[in-house]
Amino acid sequence: GQQLNQSPQSMFIQEGEDVSMNCTSSSIFNTWLWYKQDPGEGPVLLIALYKAGELTSNGRLTAQFGITRKDSFLNISASIPSDVGIYFCAGPTLGTGNQFYFGTGTSLTVIP
Amino acid sequence: DAGVIQSPRHEVTEMGQEVTLRCKPISGHDYLFWYRQTMMRGLELLIYFNNNVPIDDSGMPEDRFSAKMPNASFSTLKIQPSEPRDSAVYFCASSSSGTSGRPFFGPGTRLTVL
C-alpha cells in the first residue's frame, strides 16, 4: 500500500526549542492529517488540512499543506515536555476517499 | 460521547491459538478501519468497512486474518491460527463521511503471541 515518508525519523531537543518535521508522498493527497501518539495510546488528531497551500494552527502547532499536494509540514513552537511522542502524517490518496495511509512517524523527545 | 472502544487491551496467547479482537466504533460513524502497528512496518491499514461492508482488504496479510462487521456498532478481527510474527498493536478507528473522514482511533490491543 501507499507509504508516506516522514523526516526526521527522531528528534532530541531541549525544552523551549522549536521543532519542524515533514511528510512526503509520491502520490497527490487531497487531505493531510497530523496525529500525535502518546506511549500506550492510540493516535490523536492534531490538525487537518484540506487545501493546497493551507496553513493551519492549533495552539503552538502549525501545519501546512504543500503546494504540490505531495507534502506537508508540522512545526511546534516553544516545545514543552508533554510534546514527547510520535507524530504521524496521514491522508487519503486521490480517488481513494476515506482510505487513510499513515507516515512512518517522527519520534520527538524533549529534554527538560 | 464515548470514543472508539477496543477489547481486550492486552492479549497474550500461544502460537496456534485463535485470537479475536473487538471494536465498537463511535456512534454514527459509517467507516471503520483496522490498523496494525509494529516497529518495523509502522501503521498498516489492514481492512476498512463502509456501512458495515468491507471495501478494501488488500492489507490483510494472509488468510489467517479475517474481519467482520455484523452491525454498525461492532467489528471483530480474528487471527486463526496465530503466529509469533502477528505480535503487534492492533488499532481500530472510525470516521464519518460527514466530517471529511478523519479517523478517530481506539486505544489499541497489544497482542503478544508466544
Side-chain angles (χ1 to χ4, degrees):
Chain A
Q2 176 67 248
Q3 189 161 36
L4 308 177
N5 296 312
Q6 286 186 244
S7 66
Q9 189 173 18
S10 63
M11 303 180 74
F12 293 81
I13 63 169
Q14 293 284 340
E15 182 177 357
E17 289 184 1
D18 296 344
V19 174
S20 292
M21 60 187 77
N22 66 69
C23 186
T24 60
S25 168
S26 58
S27 302
I28 290 174
F29 279 62
N30 56 20
T31 299
W32 282 99
L33 307 177
W34 284 93
Y35 286 80
K36 182 194 177 197
Q37 184 178 24
D38 291 327
E41 302 293 332
V44 174
L45 183 65
L46 298 174
I47 291 179
L49 302 160
Y50 301 106
K51 288 173 54 177
E54 180 181 354
L55 189 71
T56 297
S57 294
N58 178 5
R60 293 177 296 104
L61 277 60
T62 302
Q64 184 164 22
F65 194 138
I67 292 293
T68 65
R69 300 172 72 184
K70 293 183 177 182
D71 56 7
S72 181
F73 309 88
L74 177 69
N75 296 313
I76 305 173
S77 62
S79 59
I80 59 178
S82 62
D83 290 334
V84 166
I86 303 177
Y87 291 80
F88 292 98
C89 60
T93 53
L94 204 61
T96 59
N98 284 51
Q99 190 168 343
F100 283 81
Y101 294 96
F102 278 74
T104 48
T106 293
S107 175
L108 178 63
T109 300
V110 179
I111 303 167
Chain B
D1 188 19
V4 175
I5 299 172
Q6 291 186 247
S7 65
R9 289 295 309 273
H10 301 273
E11 177 81 32
V12 180
T13 190
E14 293 189 344
M15 183 174 64
Q17 296 297 306
E18 178 179 296
V19 175
T20 299
L21 311 181
R22 297 173 176 79
C23 175
K24 176 178 168 56
I26 293 173
S27 176
H29 281 189
D30 53 349
Y31 284 85
L32 184 140
F33 307 84
W34 282 101
Y35 287 88
R36 178 172 68 176
Q37 186 176 38
T38 60
M39 288 291 292
M40 292 297 294
R41 301 174 69 88
L43 268 166
E44 300 175 274
L45 177 63
L46 300 178
I47 185 172
Y48 78 98
F49 296 81
N50 179 217
N51 292 322
N52 313 337
V53 176
I55 302 301
D56 188 341
D57 65 353
S58 60
M60 296 285 261
E62 39 194 285
D63 292 344
R64 297 183 297 106
F65 286 68
S66 62
K68 293 181 180 180
M69 192 166 185
N71 57 63
S73 59
F74 185 65
S75 177
T76 59
L77 178 68
K78 186 175 293 187
I79 308 173
Q80 166 63 19
S82 57
E83 297 183 2
R85 61 193 167 122
D86 301 331
S87 298
V89 181
Y90 291 82
F91 288 103
C92 175
S94 69
S95 71
S96 168
S97 51
T99 57
S100 301
R102 296 168 293 177
F104 291 82
F105 281 77
T109 295
R110 179 172 293 276
L111 173 65
T112 302
V113 183
L114 302 175

